[in-house]
Amino acid sequence: MPELPEVETIAAILRHGSDDQPPVTGRQILDAHLLWERTLATPPSAVFKARIVGQTIIDSGRRGKYLLLPLSADTLIIHLRMSGDLFVESVTEPPALHHRLMLDLEGRLRLAFNDTRKFGRVWLTSDPGAVLGRLGPEPLDPAFTAGDLYQRLQTRRRQIKPLLLDQSFLAGMGNIYTYEALNLARLHPLIIANTLTEEQTEQLWGAIRQVLADGIRSNGASIDWVYRGGSYQHHFRVYKRAGEPCPECGTTVERIVVGQRGTHLCPRCQPLPGSD
DNA sequence: CACGAGACCTGTTCGC
DNA sequence: TGCGAACAGGTCTCGT
């Protein structure tokens, strides 16, 4: 589930709580249990527990797709990758299948990192910049303008879709929101980045911000067996709609492969210049 | 710089 | 029904 809107949603739940979860901010970490060694990127597991126990969770935020939990001395950084998720539950619950890291908190609570596919990673560091250093701009930052995007596109000769997925170009876009944005902007995923006109760039910039903002407003998307209560999946225009009519023009939605990732598009709304 | 392939993992869905 | 292949929200590394 985790692209920018889903990570934003989780960060907000950890900060403010939800209907069935109290907030974790302000709580001290009393114990730590690492259940899958490779989940921990740094420090070595031998020092992780001794270092994190006793620290208090100060806040909860996000940068790109990284979840940031500033602690009293360090920052806990979590990347959910493909299947990661975070739960706040009672310490009395038996650890669920696929829990990889559990932090016992004040108030008999537990913050659990659950990650079926084991791709997710956790960092405990005093220097978040070392982990986040190469991320591109935040697409929803008010300071990020269409002109900025146009500037950044000028030096790139890559196909637009893999470029938007490149986190050093723009932080937070994932596979689904990227092709949803390209569909909304009526741009083919294979268009070469520096051939976009200023007008097309403006469309793309608006579409990116719209799909992300709508995703956040819907509390993210709930897909397949991963469910968190988000509802943005009901707004998807082309995702998993290959073979169905485009909501815009009725043409059959196609699925192609770009950079080894499935990509959905409407061939009529999103024509590729120079081919027919 | 750009691209493709392979790796890392488990679970579900698809096609025969 | 069974079984292997393909596929899934991400990113890293290596070779060309």
Side-chain angles (χ1 to χ4, degrees):
Chain A
M1 55 169 313
E3 300 184 31
L4 186 154
E6 288 75 31
V7 179
E8 176 79 25
T9 299
I10 293 172
I13 290 173
L14 295 182
R15 191 190 309 125
H16 301 299
S18 67
D19 289 345
D20 33 51
Q21 291 187 3
V24 299
T25 47
R27 293 176 197 273
Q28 191 177 36
I29 297 165
L30 304 180
D31 204 354
H33 311 273
L34 182 64
L35 290 82
W36 179 253
E37 192 81 12
R38 300 194 58 186
T39 290
L40 187 60
T42 189
S45 55
V47 301
F48 174 77
K49 181 170 169 176
R51 186 157 147 194
I52 198 169
V53 168
Q55 295 203 46
T56 297
I57 300 173
I58 304 298
D59 199 3
S60 166
R62 173 194 67 74
R63 170 80 172 99
K65 298 174 201 169
Y66 292 84
L67 187 77
L68 306 178
L69 296 177
L71 310 179
S72 31
D74 291 312
T75 300
L76 187 67
I77 303 178
I78 302 172
H79 198 303
L80 305 170
R81 292 281 179 94
M82 292 287 265
S83 60
D85 208 344
L86 287 167
F87 298 98
V88 180
E89 56 198 24
S90 165
V91 286
T92 60
E93 279 191 48
L97 191 64
H98 308 316
H99 272 10
R100 308 302 180 196
L101 174 67
M102 302 189 298
L103 300 177
D104 295 348
L105 308 176
E106 282 178 302
R108 313 264 312 145
L109 291 177
R110 170 201 289 158
L111 177 61
F113 175 57
N114 185 283
D115 183 24
T116 302
R117 292 177 69 179
K118 299 177 175 172
F119 290 164
R121 291 293 178 269
V122 172
W123 296 257
L124 178 66
T125 177
S126 59
D127 180 18
V131 178
L132 310 173
R134 294 175 50 254
L135 287 179
E138 283 290 324
L140 292 176
D141 186 336
F144 178 67
T145 66
D148 292 335
L149 179 59
Y150 188 69
Q151 287 295 318
R152 293 177 72 78
L153 289 173
Q154 295 318 300
T155 57
R156 304 307 207 105
R157 258 160 249 184
R158 300 176 65 182
Q159 297 165 336
I160 188 66
K161 192 206 167 197
L163 181 62
L164 292 175
L165 285 173
D166 181 339
Q167 302 299 297
S168 68
F169 180 78
L170 193 60
M173 295 296 286
N175 202 33
I176 293 178
Y177 286 91
T178 295
Y179 55 69
E180 290 293 321
L182 287 170
N183 174 262
L184 189 57
R186 306 176 76 87
L187 296 170
H188 195 284
L190 298 182
I191 293 176
I192 301 304
N194 68 355
T195 66
L196 286 193
T197 65
E198 289 191 60
E199 188 182 353
Q200 288 175 317
T201 302
E202 186 118 8
Q203 290 288 313
L204 177 60
W205 174 84
I208 289 170
R209 294 176 46 124
Q210 183 177 327
V211 297
L212 293 177
D214 287 351
I216 291 171
R217 196 171 306 123
S218 303
N219 297 315
S222 307
I223 300 172
D224 296 341
W225 34 278
V226 180
Y227 179 73
R228 280 195 72 87
S231 58
Y232 189 67
Q233 67 275 17
H234 301 308
H235 301 268
F236 288 146
R237 300 162 62 87
V238 285
Y239 174 72
K240 272 200 174 171
R241 291 197 183 217
E244 295 176 34
C246 165
E248 208 68 46
C249 73
T251 302
T252 303
V253 172
E254 280 180 7
R255 178 187 180 276
I256 63 175
V257 175
V258 182
Q260 289 142 261
R261 311 292 306 273
T263 301
H264 303 257
L265 72 145
C266 169
R268 181 163 174 201
C269 293
Q270 302 166 261
L272 182 60
S275 77
D276 268 296

